[in-house]
Amino acid sequence: MTVSKLARKTVRELTPYQSARRLGGSGDIWLNANESPFANEYNIKCDRLNRYSTCQPEELIQAYADYAGIKKEQVLTSRGADEGIELLIRAFCEPNQDSILYCPPTYGMYAISAETFDVSAKTVPLTADWQLDLATIRDNLDGVKLIFVCSPNNPTGNLLDRQDIEALLDMAADNALVVVDEAYIDFCPEASTVDLLDRYPNLVILRTLSKAFALAGLRCGFTLANPDIIELLLKVIAPYPVPVPVTDIAVQALSPAGLAKTKFQVLDLNANRAYLQAGLSMLEGVTVYDGYGNYLLVKFPDANALFAALWDHGIILRRSPIENCIRISIGNRDECEKTLAFIREQLAQN
């Protein structure tokens, strides 16, 4: 007997999500994981580390509820938004019976999390302009319990049409929950669907502190939903999902001073995104798609060759499943300038 034979067949055959850290690389400029370039300082207390944390720390839940403009009963915190995806699948999908539905190109963890729990995944690709194909979604709702959509979408960067999201919520009202992944919404808060929570009992929103709050290493995410959904998720979450230092740091980040700092840094990153978009758009044969997060999707004449040249030069970007496209995270101005200069130089040689 080997250990692999003990494992579930699904897990043996599973291809894990290829995160930026798993793909590796070595260099001086890292614009491949949609991380913030800002390293903010926080005070960490050690006087409570001998005790378990509470499952849902009151001060953290209240702080995020205040930030999101909703009731604390509508908030659940977890180890990143990724755990929120898994909790939803565990709570609402029967293995080998129910399905999720998602719309590629988009975040890959929806499908991987479903496969991990022996839940099938239906795909309805986005339209040519990367919007929801509502008619095809309607034809594929049989057996679907969760519909995952992402806005701003990763890796395309665009916002989904709000009217389409509302139409999807109406369409799925008797069949499924609609999960709107808003990991990047802090860069365009006016586009959030959080105001729809009171109108749609089947709406779930995923949020994170990893992007705009510059806390990717903290692994702190949030699921926003109506209280009956939150109560179900609390039945399947781990006993102590939020470490004490995570709570302390997250509460500081959500304080008035922390929110002011985040707002300033978001403005800076949005300005850098505009700078990079303008510079790349001037290059012959290059298409820069409008982006609303802290990244841009860019199409090049030969993305493979350019990506390799950047990689070898120590500028680590992210390949996209979309043909000849590279996703570029928005760094500080110096990183953006060096990346743009190298790309300009490479394209001029060809």
Side-chain angles (χ1 to χ4, degrees):
M1 182 188 69
T2 62
V3 171
S4 63
K5 289 183 178 180
L6 292 175
R8 290 164 46 218
K9 182 175 183 292
T10 299
V11 175
R12 291 201 305 269
E13 298 177 353
L14 183 69
T15 300
Y17 179 72
Q18 296 303 299
S19 67
R21 289 297 172 267
R22 279 191 167 180
L23 291 173
S26 60
D28 301 316
I29 298 177
W30 292 81
L31 302 179
N32 65 333
N34 296 346
E35 299 158 323
S36 172
F38 299 103
N40 300 318
E41 294 186 1
Y42 296 94
N43 297 318
I44 300 178
K45 300 177 182 178
C46 299
D47 59 340
R48 293 179 292 134
L49 296 183
N50 58 315
R51 303 296 183 187
Y52 288 116
S53 63
T54 55
C55 178
Q56 296 291 291
E58 175 74 20
E59 63 273 35
L60 177 55
I61 295 297
Q62 187 65 63
Y64 200 83
D66 292 342
Y67 170 68
I70 57 178
K71 302 180 183 70
K72 65 180 182 180
E73 293 79 14
Q74 295 175 296
V75 179
L76 177 140
T77 186
S78 60
R79 291 167 288 199
D82 289 328
E83 186 179 24
I85 296 170
E86 293 198 353
L87 292 173
L88 287 163
I89 294 172
R90 288 167 58 194
F92 290 95
C93 295
E94 292 286 353
N96 300 306
Q97 178 177 321
D98 296 325
S99 302
I100 70 162
L101 185 148
Y102 70 104
C103 303
T106 193
Y107 185 41
M109 277 304 297
Y110 310 137
I112 290 176
S113 294
E115 188 175 356
T116 300
F117 294 110
D118 286 320
V119 172
S120 63
K122 296 184 179 183
T123 60
V124 176
L126 297 173
T127 62
D129 57 350
W130 293 328
Q131 294 296 325
L132 298 175
D133 184 347
L134 292 173
T136 305
I137 291 175
R138 182 183 292 107
D139 293 339
N140 285 273
L141 285 181
D142 186 44
V144 170
K145 289 288 189 68
L146 299 169
I147 303 170
F148 288 94
V149 298
C150 188
S151 183
N153 187 44
N154 178 17
T156 59
N158 66 294
L159 292 170
L160 297 181
D161 186 273
R162 182 183 173 91
Q163 291 183 338
D164 286 352
I165 294 176
E166 293 186 46
L168 181 60
L169 285 160
D170 288 326
M171 181 192 307
D174 298 325
N175 302 296
L177 301 183
V178 175
V179 185
V180 182
D181 189 339
E182 292 188 348
Y184 302 94
I185 204 66
D186 306 285
F187 296 97
C188 51
E190 68 282 355
S192 177
T193 57
V194 72
D195 61 297
L196 298 178
L197 280 173
D198 290 337
R199 287 173 49 194
Y200 291 99
N202 62 326
L203 172 62
V204 180
I205 298 171
L206 298 174
R207 295 278 192 89
T208 183
L209 299 186
S210 294
K211 312 302 181 183
F213 283 86
L215 288 171
L218 196 68
R219 306 309 300 132
C220 184
F222 300 90
T223 301
L224 314 182
N226 287 299
D228 53 348
I229 294 176
I230 298 298
E231 289 175 9
L232 288 169
L233 298 182
L234 287 171
K235 292 184 177 184
V236 296
I237 199 169
Y240 312 108
V242 187
V244 170
V246 170
T247 297
D248 289 343
I249 293 172
V251 169
Q252 291 173 60
L254 292 163
S255 69
L259 292 175
K261 181 179 293 185
T262 294
K263 183 176 181 179
F264 173 80
Q265 292 175 352
V266 165
L267 289 172
D268 190 39
L269 291 173
N270 284 347
N272 289 347
R273 184 185 65 209
Y275 163 81
L276 193 59
Q277 182 171 7
L280 290 169
S281 296
M282 296 174 64
L283 302 179
E284 184 177 356
V286 174
T287 300
V288 186
Y289 298 100
D290 287 337
Y292 293 84
N294 63 334
Y295 55 96
L296 287 170
L297 185 71
V298 188
K299 187 172 185 178
F300 296 98
D302 187 348
N304 287 332
L306 178 61
F307 180 86
L310 286 157
W311 183 283
D312 292 341
H313 192 68
I315 301 175
I316 312 301
L317 306 184
R318 177 78 162 178
R319 282 306 318 271
S320 167
I322 303 169
E323 185 178 6
N324 271 329
C325 286
I326 296 174
R327 192 192 71 188
I328 307 175
S329 303
I330 306 303
N332 60 38
R333 183 55 65 96
D334 181 63
E335 292 171 327
C336 291
E337 289 177 349
K338 289 179 178 178
T339 300
L340 176 60
F342 186 82
I343 291 174
R344 185 184 291 121
E345 178 185 329
Q346 287 296 303
L347 294 183
Q349 295 176 2
N350 299 326

